[in-house]
Amino acid sequence: ATFTRGGKGYAGGDAAPFAGAKPPLALAKLNRSAGVYATEGSMVVLPGQPAVKITGTDAFATRFGGMVLHGHTEGAAEGLPGQYVGEVYWGHDAKQDCLVGVYVSNMGEAMTMQARWTADGRLLATTAALSQGQPMVQRMLMDFTDGGAAKGAVAHSILGTAAPFESFRATYTPKK
């Protein structure tokens, strides 16, 4: 086969789901968080460093008839230069029966996350990857309103041999 470049590239996932597929229950529940949010919080770049204030906008939209939830982040960290931009794509892995997120950012972050709904209605996501050349594990708990809107998140990480630390905390306020 051969490929010829044409068109304008990625169209944003407006195609219908393949063969009439329906989002699994866990993904349909996460899809309820679609919307645009003002984000405020803090992050810790390295263990032992002080938290840095972050602000930005997170926009989530369903793609491919709800088979994917796409999140786009734009923000800034107090005292750090430039704008932060990140992309996450959430889908469902039927074999492992969990949500899977793939995240990339302009800081060079690239990770996959597994997530499952907890008995108390929160989403628990975990990842294991390299961060700044060292092994890293992270768990993030995300809270939602009864209507499904994102409300907040907190992450705890272990980087290399350092003690566990709170690496991220944010609140989300829906934009009108």
Side-chain angles (χ1 to χ4, degrees):
T2 60
F3 293 97
T4 304
R5 187 172 181 88
K8 295 182 179 179
Y10 181 67
D14 294 332
F18 182 72
K22 301 281 186 222
L25 187 59
L27 183 56
K29 185 174 180 178
L30 184 59
N31 284 344
R32 294 174 40 204
S33 68
V36 179
Y37 299 88
T39 305
E40 293 185 20
S42 62
M43 69 171 197
V44 174
V45 179
L46 287 170
Q49 291 187 341
V52 176
K53 182 180 176 183
I54 58 171
T55 57
T57 300
D58 283 282
F60 291 90
T62 59
R63 305 285 188 222
F64 306 116
M67 297 303 292
V68 171
L69 181 66
H70 170 226
H72 174 79
T73 299
E74 292 184 13
E78 188 174 57
L80 297 178
Q83 181 181 40
Y84 177 84
V85 178
E87 306 288 339
V88 64
Y89 295 87
W90 285 101
H92 185 265
D93 180 334
K95 186 173 182 178
Q96 296 185 66
D97 192 25
C98 67
L99 296 168
V100 174
V102 177
Y103 188 83
V104 295
S105 79
N106 65 344
M107 278 182 53
E109 297 166 300
M111 65 178 130
T112 60
M113 301 166 278
Q114 288 189 348
R116 292 174 173 83
W117 291 101
T118 64
D120 62 358
R122 297 188 290 173
L123 190 63
L124 175 59
T126 58
T127 190
L130 282 180
S131 177
Q132 302 175 48
Q134 297 184 61
M136 181 271 299
V137 293
Q138 182 184 77
R139 72 149 193 174
M140 180 179 284
L141 276 172
M142 293 172 259
D143 292 306
F144 299 85
T145 66
D146 290 340
K151 192 164 67 170
V154 62
H156 295 92
S157 299
I158 300 173
L159 181 63
T161 59
F165 64 101
E166 185 176 291
S167 53
F168 177 82
R169 179 176 291 274
T171 58
Y172 303 99
T173 305
K175 288 187 169 188
K176 302 292 179 196

